[in-house]
Amino acid sequence: MHERGSFVSPLLSGVFCQCRSEEYQGSDPGGGGGGRTLGSTLAASCDSPHHCPVCGGPEQEHHRLKVLFQILDVNRDGGICVNDLTIGLKKLGVHRTEHELMKIVKAGDKDLDGQLDFEEFVHYLRDHEKKLRLVFKSLDKKNDGHIDSQEIMQSLRDLGVHISEEQAEKILKSMDKNGTMTIDWNEWRDYHLLHPADNIPEIILHWKHSTIFDVGESLMVPDEFTAEEKKTGMWWRHLVAGGGAGAVSRTCTAPLDRLKVLMQVHASHTNTVGFTGGFAQMIREGGVRSLWRGNGINVLKIAPETAIKFMAYEQIKRLIGSNQETLGILERLVAGSLAGAIAQSSIYPMEVIKTRLALGRTGQYSGIMDCAKHILKKEGLKAFYKGYIPNMLGIIPYAGIDLAVYETLKNAWLQRFATDSADPGVFVLLACGTMSSTCGQLASYPLALVRTRMQAQASQEGSPQMTMTGLFRHIVRTEGAIGLYRGLAPNFMKVIPAVSISYVVYENLKITLGVQSR
């Protein structure tokens, strides 16, 4: 919560609450003066049988939003641009910087024409008000419809921010219009309603995604962190907890991951590698321990990949001129995909070593370093980037679909079920994470399969060294389109246990590390 220099005037309250509109006066929405006031314009509909929109009267709400739209549409062209907002809000006693007004227009401008038409304006305000109500409910610890200084202190303390009672009262005074030293819903809404906030901190806190869930692939768009989390150092605790959860999750599902790699490389029409047959073959060849072959380096690459991706993501956000308060879905996808590409490029040799170890015979390599030396000696440095192109191409469909599905499910839940808190609970979070990860993997799976086969080419004696497009054509010609989905069954089978295990471990590590974000 940030202290700001001014708040929405009583005039604006009248626009949104007919119950109080007769108390306030303002300029004529028609722009012609003539002694008309906003209060009288609104009061003209007081005889309507429909009750106040704050309580749910749709016709009066539409009328009042129309009145506000007309006031803000200074040049009467049917759209509100940044210049309109600057002049119109000043009439209402509301002062916002040009940057803040640009964020409002950008957040609501669905058709990208640089201004808000009436439909976009209404949609923005209604959606924004719903988010504000969630935050108000989360701050109202006593559930009495008012926020006092103690509740502000407690809420910020939960985020790791400690302020004095004097500072809390200063924040209160900036919003408190009636001098009670408490904030009711109307004061809270009027203060924040025309202030941009795409990602309300309460929602960011409860809907972390890529930090929590690890399904073996690190191609998700990184999570956002609130300003408080960054300031207090909670962000690195989240990343450490996520890394630990990923290590446990990957270790528990490693047998399924190795089976997937074997099926991707060896399965065909003539050589069927079944589920039980594959496990039996691995155990027969190297014992039960061989089920975890290649898991060590798969766990080791979590730390550098997470750190590089997070740092790259934050830098790219700055380069595109955005921050966590305003980053839209498209911007997140671009920044996240580029950060993922940078991270993957940095640790890609570890991916190749992991595949070679998983496909290796018992005794072929004594460990990670021996495998790396063997590849370098026989194939040269270039071998460490086999399959690099399909891997990079797979980032966009995976990250894009995973993010789109997760955000769609999140927003659907927030719209339908979020009344008292933005916290979805464990089962909703797990369901959303599982569905989005599954969709992302399904979309990028053919590229992942081609990548794995290219990584494995030199380890298969007598196999031709094909390019990406050549390998695609070969698979489709010899195995059909289904050949591009070899190993999909064990891959999907590990999603639910991987997501569940990583969530449980993440929550416990958060407690151990002293993270208090819920």
Side-chain angles (χ1 to χ4, degrees):
M1 185 180 300
H2 304 283
E3 183 183 352
R4 301 185 178 97
S6 63
F7 51 82
V8 177
S9 70
L11 179 59
L12 189 55
S13 302
V15 175
F16 290 100
C17 184
Q18 182 62 32
C19 298
R20 301 187 301 163
S21 63
E22 62 271 20
E23 298 175 20
Y24 310 121
Q25 294 185 340
S27 60
D28 178 9
R36 291 181 60 195
T37 66
L38 178 61
S40 62
T41 302
L42 294 170
S45 62
C46 281
D47 295 330
S48 169
H50 300 280
H51 51 287
C52 173
V54 174
C55 308
E59 289 186 16
Q60 286 194 18
E61 179 187 19
H62 184 274
H63 171 69
R64 273 178 290 281
L65 291 177
K66 190 71 176 176
V67 169
L68 181 59
F69 183 82
Q70 290 170 346
I71 294 171
L72 297 177
D73 182 16
V74 178
N75 57 10
R76 302 288 177 266
D77 62 353
I80 299 174
C81 62
V82 173
N83 186 56
D84 286 336
L85 278 177
T86 303
I87 299 169
L89 287 177
K90 279 182 181 177
K91 288 182 182 178
L92 299 172
V94 181
H95 301 277
R96 296 282 180 251
T97 67
E98 185 178 356
H99 181 63
E100 289 172 335
L101 298 179
M102 286 174 66
K103 287 196 284 186
I104 290 175
V105 173
K106 186 177 179 182
D109 184 16
K110 303 299 181 187
D111 57 9
L112 303 179
D113 63 351
Q115 60 181 8
L116 304 179
D117 58 30
F118 181 63
E119 185 179 342
E120 290 171 331
F121 178 72
V122 170
H123 185 273
Y124 170 80
L125 287 182
R126 285 177 177 165
D127 182 58
H128 195 46
E129 184 168 333
K130 185 173 180 67
K131 291 176 182 177
L132 290 174
R133 189 175 285 279
L134 288 175
V135 182
F136 183 83
K137 293 262 189 181
S138 72
L139 291 172
D140 184 14
K141 305 290 185 185
K142 299 173 187 171
N143 219 12
D144 60 358
H146 293 81
I147 301 171
D148 58 28
S149 59
Q150 292 299 319
E151 287 171 319
I152 289 176
M153 291 171 66
Q154 179 60 48
S155 296
L156 292 178
R157 197 177 299 123
D158 289 344
L159 296 175
V161 179
H162 297 275
I163 64 171
S164 67
E165 188 166 358
E166 184 180 351
Q167 289 172 310
E169 288 177 356
K170 197 173 180 182
I171 293 171
L172 267 179
K173 285 177 182 176
S174 67
M175 287 179 269
D176 180 26
K177 293 184 292 192
N178 55 16
T180 60
M181 286 309 293
T182 61
I183 309 165
D184 62 21
W185 160 242
N186 288 326
E187 290 172 321
W188 171 266
R189 179 204 57 210
D190 293 349
Y191 182 84
H192 289 284
L193 194 56
L194 282 169
H195 209 286
D198 290 329
N199 290 330
I200 298 290
E202 173 77 356
I203 296 173
I204 294 175
L205 287 173
H206 290 296
W207 286 87
K208 293 224 180 339
H209 174 33
S210 64
T211 309
I212 302 175
F213 302 128
D214 189 298
V215 293
E217 299 278 358
S218 300
L219 303 181
M220 296 179 187
V221 173
D223 282 321
E224 298 292 280
F225 290 95
T226 65
E228 287 82 3
E229 286 174 312
K230 290 179 180 178
K231 184 178 179 181
T232 59
M234 287 295 167
W235 64 271
W236 70 260
R237 291 182 173 89
H238 279 288
L239 293 180
V240 169
V248 175
S249 171
R250 292 185 187 193
T251 301
C252 291
T253 58
L256 285 166
D257 190 62
R258 188 178 179 219
L259 178 62
K260 176 195 76 174
V261 173
L262 289 173
M263 291 176 74
Q264 284 179 330
V265 175
H266 295 306
S268 64
H269 281 313
T270 55
N271 181 29
T272 304
V273 179
F275 196 81
T276 53
F279 276 124
Q281 181 184 329
M282 285 190 287
I283 294 171
R284 191 166 53 246
E285 189 273 332
V288 175
R289 189 179 175 185
S290 70
L291 297 175
W292 278 267
R293 194 171 291 162
N295 180 60
I297 194 161
N298 197 32
V299 169
L300 281 176
K301 70 186 178 74
I302 292 174
E305 186 172 14
T306 301
I308 293 167
K309 185 191 280 189
F310 177 76
M311 289 187 290
Y313 184 64
E314 292 300 315
Q315 290 302 316
I316 292 165
K317 279 166 59 177
R318 291 190 184 97
L319 286 174
I320 63 178
S322 218
N323 54 55
Q324 90 279 355
E325 296 296 330
T326 62
L327 218 58
I329 297 296
L330 185 60
E331 289 172 313
R332 282 193 66 194
L333 175 59
V334 171
S337 297
L338 288 173
I342 291 168
Q344 283 282 303
S345 299
S346 304
I347 59 91
Y348 193 76
M350 300 175 82
E351 293 277 4
V352 176
I353 294 170
K354 176 217 160 193
T355 299
R356 294 293 181 88
L357 286 170
L359 293 169
R361 299 181 304 276
T362 301
Q364 185 175 355
Y365 307 113
S366 61
I368 295 170
M369 291 305 296
D370 182 56
C371 180
K373 287 176 185 175
H374 186 83
I375 295 171
L376 183 62
K377 186 177 179 180
K378 284 192 70 175
E379 304 168 56
L381 277 172
K382 191 177 179 181
F384 288 107
Y385 281 88
K386 283 184 179 292
Y388 177 77
I389 293 175
N391 187 68
M392 291 298 107
L393 293 176
I395 289 174
I396 294 183
Y398 187 110
I401 291 174
D402 173 73
L403 179 64
V405 172
Y406 191 78
E407 289 295 316
T408 300
L409 293 172
K410 179 185 84 173
N411 290 329
W413 187 90
L414 287 171
Q415 288 293 327
R416 182 168 292 190
F417 300 109
T419 52
D420 296 324
S421 171
D423 186 356
V426 58
F427 293 113
V428 173
L429 206 59
L430 288 176
C432 292
T434 300
M435 289 176 69
S436 64
S437 297
T438 300
C439 292
Q441 288 191 45
L442 186 62
S444 63
Y445 195 83
L447 286 162
L449 181 137
V450 169
R451 173 201 68 191
T452 304
R453 287 205 182 181
M454 291 180 73
Q455 289 172 342
Q457 277 178 349
S459 66
Q460 295 176 286
E461 293 181 14
S463 65
Q465 302 296 302
M466 296 186 189
T467 62
M468 180 184 75
T469 53
L471 195 51
F472 262 115
R473 284 197 295 265
H474 175 74
I475 293 170
V476 173
R477 186 175 63 250
T478 58
E479 305 175 45
I482 196 170
L484 296 171
Y485 290 90
R486 300 282 183 195
L488 189 63
N491 186 68
F492 278 177
M493 284 187 69
K494 74 173 186 172
V495 171
I496 293 178
V499 166
S500 304
I501 292 165
S502 59
Y503 180 84
V504 171
V505 176
Y506 174 81
E507 287 298 313
N508 281 281
L509 284 175
K510 270 201 334 180
I511 295 169
T512 304
L513 292 167
V515 176
Q516 296 178 325
S517 62
R518 293 187 179 224

